[in-house]
Amino acid sequence: MTQKLLFLTGKLAEKSLHKVLTEVQSNPKTPPFKYRVEQIGVSVAALMTPGLIARRLKQAGDADKIILPGLCQGDLSVLEAQYGIPVERGPEDLKDLPQYFGHAGTQPDLSQYSVQIFAEIVDAPYLSVEGVVKRAQQFIAQGANVIDLGCLPGVPFPHLADATKTLKQLGIKVSVDSLNTDDLLAAGHAGADYLLSLTEKTLWIANEVASTPVLIPAKPHSLPSLYRAIELCIKAGKPFIADPILDPINFGLTDAIVRYQKLRKKYPEIQIMMGIGNLTELTDADTTGINAMLFGMIAELDINAVLATSVSPHAVNAIAEADIARRMMFAARQDDRLPRGYSNGLLGLHDRRPFTYSADEIKEIAAQIKDPSFRIQVSEQGLHVYNRDGLFESTDPFALYPNLKVGDDASHAFYLGVELARAQIAWQLKKRYVQDQELDWGVANQPTDTVAKSSHREASLKEKRNKNS
């Protein structure tokens, strides 16, 4: 049955909405639907609220569903009760409606994954037990499944057992990474879930404790050595994870990937780990892209666990990025699709569709403005600022200042300065800009302080009143 949709919008977006919906409707890949657009008397669609809609839209007619602008805030259940049909938000930008219909208006399911993240606290010996717990909780919040306590050669770790027991009491899975057999034994007896990294020569430790060993070659790059350790575990019926070791760029990265592929072919059913810190930490490049590529290979090789680190300042979000990447790649693999359209979490510096309006379209919108409030948009050509007094364009915010005429309004000048700076950054990086919205930095997004955003205006008005009194 053809679905009947009712779109609510404002004055400025009405024409563009009709144009986009006509294009969507004519796409043979889009499920058939009929639509009606109601312009409910506000200039900016994002200013709609459920209360305003309930007052101005008396009935929904024969619509099966009402679709609101994506930036519309508030509880929609009130509207659903009033009209008796589903009410949902569309995309934040109406130009994204084709993609919205392509996903049938649903969000991709990123709740599942197949890769366990071991997050290593590399300086654990230098931290107190309380410090270890604090760092562990930070990594757990970012998506880690297991906390790895990294031991350092020649550095005593007298509170290793206490740290392990404390984490276990908090319900946190623990692994311990050391080349010192005494450390590994102590961790195992304290209840560590995993021990990194055992070889065929130190595998005897696995017989002394209940911990699951993570196996590596006794000699670097030696797959036969790793195979022998694997066979010993299989023969003993001992659970294990194998790691042929991922080397950094210029020190054997390509050969390492081949080793992982050979290991998976030889042992299709075993658990395999990949330590990804050698790339994220030791490459001067944004870790979002590195994690995306790594987890693409991890998905294809059916690797079951990663050892991730977050030490270098440029890798501060590496654990959270790994969490997003594993979910994206799992979903794409399940859907047998390219990993596109699942999440913007790894699109930190750029956007796939940064400029949704052309300069000519912005000019058409600007011609409708009858009030003094400034609107700001960004196109491929640069920044566009407009109100009833005209449309002003430039790639340099400073060039726009003479046209703004806000010298006697510090609050307004400050606001425009912030917004134009965001707009310029968005234009330079080719990111999506929406006025009054923070730029989307993907996984690096920070919570927005809406109180501070409005309080500057109140402070400015108070200052004005004090000067005039």
Side-chain angles (χ1 to χ4, degrees):
M1 187 176 74
T2 301
Q3 195 172 33
K4 298 174 182 176
L5 304 176
L6 173 58
F7 289 83
L8 303 186
T9 190
K11 296 174 184 176
L12 296 179
E14 184 178 11
K15 183 177 178 181
S16 293
L17 179 58
H18 275 292
K19 182 179 178 181
V20 172
L21 285 173
T22 300
E23 294 172 356
V24 172
Q25 201 175 42
S26 63
N27 187 338
K29 295 182 180 180
T30 304
F33 69 95
K34 293 181 179 180
Y35 76 89
R36 182 163 53 92
V37 173
E38 285 279 351
Q39 189 269 99
I40 64 170
V42 295
S43 294
V44 181
L47 297 179
M48 291 183 194
T49 63
L52 183 146
I53 293 168
R55 292 192 301 272
R56 296 192 180 184
L57 183 70
K58 300 306 179 185
Q59 56 183 8
D62 62 349
D64 302 315
K65 182 191 292 185
I66 297 175
I67 299 180
L68 308 180
L71 293 174
C72 177
Q73 302 296 313
D75 182 6
L76 305 188
S77 62
V78 178
L79 299 178
E80 292 184 335
Q82 177 169 329
Y83 303 118
I85 56 175
V87 180
E88 66 182 45
R89 295 177 181 85
E92 293 186 356
D93 190 323
L94 66 85
K95 290 297 190 76
D96 291 328
L97 278 169
Q99 290 74 29
Y100 171 84
F101 276 94
H103 287 100
T106 60
Q107 291 295 318
D109 179 11
L110 297 179
S111 64
Q112 301 180 67
Y113 56 84
S114 60
V115 180
Q116 299 289 300
I117 297 175
F118 288 56
E120 182 179 6
I121 302 177
V122 298
D123 56 349
Y126 295 118
L127 300 177
S128 65
V129 173
E130 293 75 16
V132 167
V133 169
K134 183 179 179 181
R135 187 79 58 81
Q137 290 173 333
Q138 291 171 346
F139 286 160
I140 293 292
Q142 292 174 19
N145 305 101
V146 181
I147 297 302
D148 182 69
L149 301 180
C151 300
L152 300 171
V155 178
F157 197 168
H159 52 298
L160 172 59
D162 287 341
T164 301
K165 290 176 182 177
T166 302
L167 291 175
K168 292 295 295 178
Q169 288 168 1
L170 293 172
I172 297 173
K173 289 186 176 182
V174 180
S175 66
V176 173
D177 190 356
S178 179
L179 297 176
N180 185 307
T181 57
D182 290 338
D183 285 342
L184 294 173
L185 284 170
H189 289 307
D193 299 276
Y194 303 91
L195 296 180
L196 288 69
S197 302
L198 303 187
T199 69
E200 59 179 322
K201 296 178 180 179
T202 56
L203 194 52
W204 58 268
I205 295 172
N207 298 323
E208 304 288 327
V209 295
S211 311
T212 298
V214 177
L215 309 176
I216 64 170
K219 188 170 70 172
H221 311 152
S222 172
L223 279 178
S225 172
L226 182 58
Y227 294 160
R228 288 191 293 270
I230 290 171
E231 292 296 337
L232 287 171
C233 284
I234 292 174
K235 185 176 179 180
K238 178 77 175 178
F240 66 93
I241 303 174
D243 183 358
I245 306 299
L246 185 70
D247 294 310
I249 294 171
N250 285 337
F251 291 88
L253 171 63
T254 306
D255 287 341
I257 295 296
V258 172
R259 287 196 298 274
Y260 279 96
Q261 193 256 1
K262 287 181 177 179
L263 177 62
R264 176 52 77 205
K265 275 196 170 183
K266 183 173 179 64
Y267 296 101
E269 306 298 328
I270 70 169
Q271 298 279 303
I272 299 177
M273 172 183 280
M274 178 183 285
I276 59 178
N278 276 347
L279 257 66
T280 55
E281 296 284 348
L282 304 181
T283 308
D284 279 350
D286 292 309
T287 53
T288 48
I290 294 174
N291 270 314
M293 290 296 294
L294 279 173
F295 276 87
M297 290 186 283
I298 285 166
E300 289 192 0
L301 293 169
D302 193 22
I303 287 171
N304 315 95
V306 297
L307 178 63
T309 56
S310 182
V311 181
S312 172
H314 87 285
V316 65
N317 292 315
I319 307 298
E321 293 164 6
D323 181 45
I324 293 172
R326 65 174 172 176
R327 295 172 188 272
M328 281 176 52
M329 298 306 168
F330 181 86
R333 192 177 182 191
Q334 292 293 105
D335 296 341
D336 196 24
R337 286 181 49 203
L338 294 171
R340 301 182 72 181
Y342 287 95
S343 169
N344 290 333
L346 300 181
L347 286 171
L349 292 182
H350 311 290
D351 284 323
R352 284 183 59 200
R353 297 180 63 244
F355 309 125
T356 52
Y357 288 84
S358 68
D360 288 340
E361 288 175 313
I362 294 172
K363 188 175 182 179
E364 287 183 18
I365 296 171
Q368 303 176 55
I369 299 301
K370 308 299 181 186
D371 61 71
S373 297
F374 282 106
R375 278 78 169 179
I376 303 172
Q377 289 184 266
V378 177
S379 75
E380 193 171 356
Q381 281 68 45
L383 285 56
H384 306 260
V385 184
Y386 55 90
N387 65 1
R388 67 185 180 190
D389 298 323
L391 169 65
F392 313 104
E393 303 166 324
S394 180
T395 59
D396 180 3
F398 287 102
L400 297 168
Y401 177 76
N403 303 303
L404 303 180
K405 297 180 174 61
V406 289
D408 61 345
D409 190 340
S411 172
H412 200 185
F414 180 82
Y415 164 79
L416 289 173
V418 170
E419 287 298 321
L420 287 171
R422 286 178 181 158
Q424 184 189 34
I425 291 169
W427 178 76
Q428 289 173 327
L429 291 179
K430 293 182 170 52
K431 291 188 66 64
R432 182 77 63 91
Y433 169 81
V434 179
Q435 189 172 352
D436 291 324
Q437 300 293 315
E438 297 275 359
L439 295 181
D440 186 352
W441 301 109
V443 71
N445 282 340
Q446 298 292 323
T448 303
D449 185 352
T450 56
V451 175
K453 187 175 179 180
S454 59
S455 63
H456 91 276
R457 183 62 176 169
E458 295 169 8
S460 177
L461 293 174
K462 183 179 179 181
E463 186 179 333
K464 270 188 174 182
R465 287 193 296 268
N466 291 338
K467 283 183 177 178
N468 294 332
S469 62

